[in-house]
Amino acid sequence: MTTSSPVGLPGLPARVEVYEVGPRDGLQNEKAVVPVEVKAEFVQRLLAAGLTTVELTSFVPARWVPQLADAEELLALLGDLPGRHPVLVPTEKGLARALEAGVREIAVFASATETFAQKNLNRTVAASLDMFEPVVRRARDEGLAVRGYVSMCFGDPWEGEVPLTQVADVAVRLHEMGCTEVSLGDTIGVGTPGQVKALVELLPSRGLPVGALAVHFHDTYGQALANTLVALQCGVSTVDASAGGLGGCPYAGSATGNLATEDLVWQLHGLGIETGVDLASLVRTSTWMAEQLGRPSPSRTVAALAG
Ligand code: MG
């Protein structure tokens, strides 16, 4: 591989925190259930490749997400890890399990739309936020950091267009209840750059500072990197991605799901933005993981650099 020297663009951060979601968001949305030893090796390899923030798993009832039913076992296998290692926790029961397992950061998963809140959490948007509130409060009281996800920010497969103010209401409420970071999710990957700019610029005027925002794009329509670049230009410096592009979205009828971490890192490094990630090592990890899953990685960068 030959590459040119990095060339920056004005108004971009010097460093971006890559928030790796592969072990949780990725594997949760894969059909195959991966053995816990393979998950542990996956996480170790991601850390060895320089990722410092890795969302590990989900403390939800096993019947909700059988792919992640081994949360306790996984954390026990991993032991103490350097960096940020959030786990998804929807309920107080889940939080109690997470605290017992020594977790220091959690995430809650809210929806901007009523239909997805019903399908994913079996309650209204308001009732799901009411469910999260005591979870977030107790987690903060215990000294934990808390990320709040907002899904379906740029469109919903059942409701179509999602009004910006509706997304902002949920994001602001999560921040007000104590979430230290709010991740704006384009769960079906339909958003385009102008829409991203409009949402990211609206939130600070509603009291949610850009420094507390992260973005979570899906590449269903090939827009994830364009949307990322615009978010960075608006001052966002935490970007979610999934190693090898793991995890389709079960609600979008396309094979492509999460933005691949390798594709993101290729762009960031080309812009001279620091990530701490060793891209070659990450590509080897995703190639190995693709072998475990028995299908090739959908990441363009993995395809270009592997072998
Ligand atoms: Mg995702």
Side-chain angles (χ1 to χ4, degrees):
M1 169 196 50
T2 56
T3 56
S4 312
S5 303
V7 178
L9 286 172
L12 295 177
R15 186 182 170 89
V16 161
E17 179 170 9
V18 178
Y19 185 106
E20 171 61 44
V21 300
R24 200 279 302 167
D25 185 7
L27 295 183
Q28 171 179 341
N29 292 306
E30 291 289 334
K31 279 196 189 75
V33 176
V34 174
V36 69
E37 295 78 12
V38 173
K39 289 178 183 169
E41 183 172 350
F42 183 39
V43 171
Q44 297 289 6
R45 282 176 177 241
L46 293 170
L47 297 177
L51 288 154
T52 54
T53 304
V54 181
E55 195 168 280
L56 296 177
T57 184
S58 196
F59 281 77
V60 296
R63 65 179 187 283
W64 290 13
V65 186
Q67 290 92 333
L68 304 180
D70 53 10
E72 272 92 355
E73 223 182 319
L74 176 63
L75 293 201
L77 271 179
L78 289 170
D80 277 340
L81 301 171
R84 278 178 75 185
H85 307 292
V87 301
L88 203 68
V89 165
T91 60
E92 291 182 90
K93 223 177 201 171
L95 176 60
R97 284 173 57 198
L99 288 168
E100 183 72 19
V103 163
R104 299 309 304 155
E105 179 167 353
I106 63 160
V108 296
F109 196 85
S111 169
T113 67
E114 292 295 344
T115 315
F116 190 60
Q118 281 297 343
K119 289 192 184 279
N120 199 42
L121 297 159
N122 201 25
R123 21 177 86 61
T124 63
V125 169
S128 59
L129 292 168
D130 289 344
M131 174 174 78
F132 295 142
E133 190 143 35
V135 177
V136 174
R137 194 184 318 123
R138 175 157 180 227
R140 294 300 308 279
D141 286 347
E142 299 278 351
L144 273 61
V146 181
R147 155 178 271 231
Y149 282 101
V150 186
S151 52
M152 302 297 175
C153 287
F154 300 97
D156 174 293
W158 304 280
E159 298 179 22
E161 195 176 330
V162 182
L164 274 188
T165 50
Q166 187 178 318
V167 179
D169 287 346
V170 175
V172 167
R173 172 91 190 274
L174 286 169
H175 182 244
E176 283 172 352
M177 73 171 73
C179 288
T180 43
E181 183 170 278
V182 175
S183 175
L184 305 172
D186 184 7
T187 314
I188 54 170
V190 293
T192 44
Q195 295 162 348
V196 171
K197 186 169 191 282
L199 179 60
V200 171
E201 287 184 346
L202 171 66
L203 293 170
S205 72
R206 298 272 317 262
L208 174 45
V210 71
L213 294 177
V215 286
H216 184 115
F217 294 123
H218 282 207
D219 213 22
T220 321
Y221 291 86
Q223 302 301 300
L225 280 178
N227 289 341
T228 300
L229 185 57
V230 165
L232 297 178
Q233 286 169 330
C234 293
V236 172
S237 62
T238 301
V239 181
D240 299 5
S242 180
L246 277 180
C249 174
Y251 304 99
S254 156
T256 37
N258 290 305
L259 168 61
T261 312
E262 289 84 353
D263 297 9
L264 172 65
V265 168
W266 181 269
Q267 180 180 86
L268 295 175
H269 289 181
L271 287 162
I273 296 171
E274 224 183 285
T275 66
V277 175
D278 176 343
L279 186 55
S281 167
L282 184 58
V283 167
R284 284 194 297 275
T285 298
S286 291
T287 306
W288 167 83
M289 195 65 214
E291 284 163 14
Q292 308 300 313
L293 292 168
R295 62 163 188 82
S297 160
S299 159
R300 311 270 179 89
T301 302
V302 171
L305 296 182

